[in-house]
């Protein structure tokens, strides 16, 4: 049987896959089962930060694999400790809990908010305000945190205690905080799955004020926009915010599963022995790769992200069939006149892999995509958008 036949026969059909089997990659190029070459503007959904089969990252991971691939959290291991130190040094956060995915990073944040509030404010202050149109993960609790009914319907009852603020209505956020006993606000600096939508500036200001006034934790979900993709190390850094909790995942591992929940000074002592755990969390090989990724997110690379972003935005803004370009850094959404799915298919036919987010075409290229490849890919996308 072919891979596609095996997959259709035996893999739970939770994904509507593109009709392509990817077999090999190199940087921002990837090849399918027929040897067809594509320029990759999707990076496995913001995961392959420095592209495919990146040599420096792969060397860091394999060196660790040959030394010690896993130890469990019953023992000390260097890569996780060093990664936590590097994350704290770069953000001013104080402690890190490691899991294996974005959903787990957010689960940790939610547990921290609940325990913090219980101790600091009282057990009735368990509610967490999230945003309409947000996306925070697929577990029952992170689905509850996700402010989109479509994700809730089939899986009720979900974890109680989530309230949803509309990013277009700062006054509504204030009313929610005033009328309910809350612990925290959880937000994405740029809503990814929700359509690549940056948080409006007036909402950001109100969030700051409301958090201070009602003693709420600010918790940034940086799973998609974090790790250099916004042009800053983390997306919230572009907004003048100082969150108490930062969750991240996708791009931190550079291609291997990791989740991290960063705890700031107000909550650094909230978790104690036995409060949380993960068998694979801080896996040494994964953390060795993440250390490599984080170490390479230098000012130069971040400037390169902003340069590439400007290049894409300039080439697409006002192009035939393009209604708007939204987003930040190398996390961009293109509102097209044609249905996004048609544009994605046309790009694929012509050797460019892009994604969708709601009604938009979503671009998440590698942070170091060579400019010539980027220009070629964007010109294919322009053609695909034109009517
Ligand atoms: C992808 C994503 C998640 C979920 O991450 P998983 O690793 O799939 O669990 C959570 N939050 C945001 C903002 C995401 O983009």
């Amino acid at each position: 049987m072919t891979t596609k036949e095996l997959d259709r026969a035996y893999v739970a059909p939770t994904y509507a896959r593109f009709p392509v089997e990817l077999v090999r990659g190199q940087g921002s190029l990837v090849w399918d089962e027929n040897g067809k070459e594509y320029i990759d503007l999707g990076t496995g959904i913001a995961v392959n930060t420095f592209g495919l089969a990146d040599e420096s990252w792969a060397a860091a991971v394999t060196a660790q694999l040959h030394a010690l691939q896993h130890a469990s959290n019953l023992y000390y291991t260097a890569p996780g400790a060093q990664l936590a130190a590097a994350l704290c040094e770069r953000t001013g956060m104080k402690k890190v809990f490691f899991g294996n995915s974005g959903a787990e990073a957010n689960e940790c944040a939610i547990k921290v908010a609940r325990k913090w509030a219980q101790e600091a404010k009282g057990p009735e202050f368990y509610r967490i305000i999230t945003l309409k149109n947000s996306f925070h993960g697929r577990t029952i609790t992170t689905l509850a945190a996700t402010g989109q009914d479509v994700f809730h319907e089939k899986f009720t009852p979900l974890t109680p205690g989530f309230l949803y603020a509309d990013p277009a209505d700062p006054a509504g956020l204030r009313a929610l905080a005033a009328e309910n006993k809350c612990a925290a606000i959880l937000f994405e600096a740029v809503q990814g799955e929700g359509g690549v939508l940056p948080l409006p500036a007036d909402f950001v200001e109100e969030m700051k004020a409301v958090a201070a006034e009602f003693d709420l934790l600010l918790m940034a979900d940086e799973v998609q926009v974090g790790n250099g993709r916004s042009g800053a190390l983390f997306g919230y850094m572009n907004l003048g915010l100082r969150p108490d909790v930062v969750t991240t995942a996708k791009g931190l591992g550079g291609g291997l599963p990791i989740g991290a929940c960063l705890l700031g000074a107000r909550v650094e002592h909230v978790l104690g022995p036995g409060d949380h755990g993960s068998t694979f969390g801080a896996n040494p090989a994964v953390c060795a790769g993440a250390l490599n990724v984080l170490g390479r997110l230098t000012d130069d690379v971040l400037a390169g992200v902003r340069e590439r972003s400007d290049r894409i935005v300039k080439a697409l803004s006002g192009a035939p069939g393009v209604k708007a370009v939204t987003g930040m850094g190398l996390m961009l959404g293109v509102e097209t006149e044609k249905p996004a799915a048609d544009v994605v298919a046309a790009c694929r036919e012509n050797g460019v892999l892009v994604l969708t987010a709601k009604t938009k075409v979503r671009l998440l290229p590698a942070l170091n995509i060579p400019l010539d490849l980027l220009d070629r890919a964007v010109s294919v996308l322009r053609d695909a958008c034109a009517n």
Side-chain angles (χ1 to χ4, degrees), residues 101-103 106 135-137 188 193 221 223-224 250:
S101 66
N106 286 331
F135 182 80
H136 298 295
E188 298 158 86
E193 308 304 309
D221 179 342
V223 170
Q224 188 163 157
K250 292 190 170 94

Side-chain angles (χ1 to χ4, degrees), residues 51-103:
L52 290 154
D54 176 76
E55 275 194 23
S56 157
W57 172 83
V61 172
T62 49
Q64 183 60 44
L65 283 176
H66 287 293
L68 180 89
Q69 82 272 30
H70 177 76
S72 89
N73 284 297
L74 300 174
Y75 303 93
Y76 293 96
T77 52
Q82 289 169 3
L83 178 61
L87 284 167
C88 288
E89 194 176 307
R90 299 279 300 266
T91 58
M93 305 298 278
K94 301 294 184 193
K95 297 269 192 294
V96 182
F97 176 85
F98 289 114
N100 315 283
S101 66

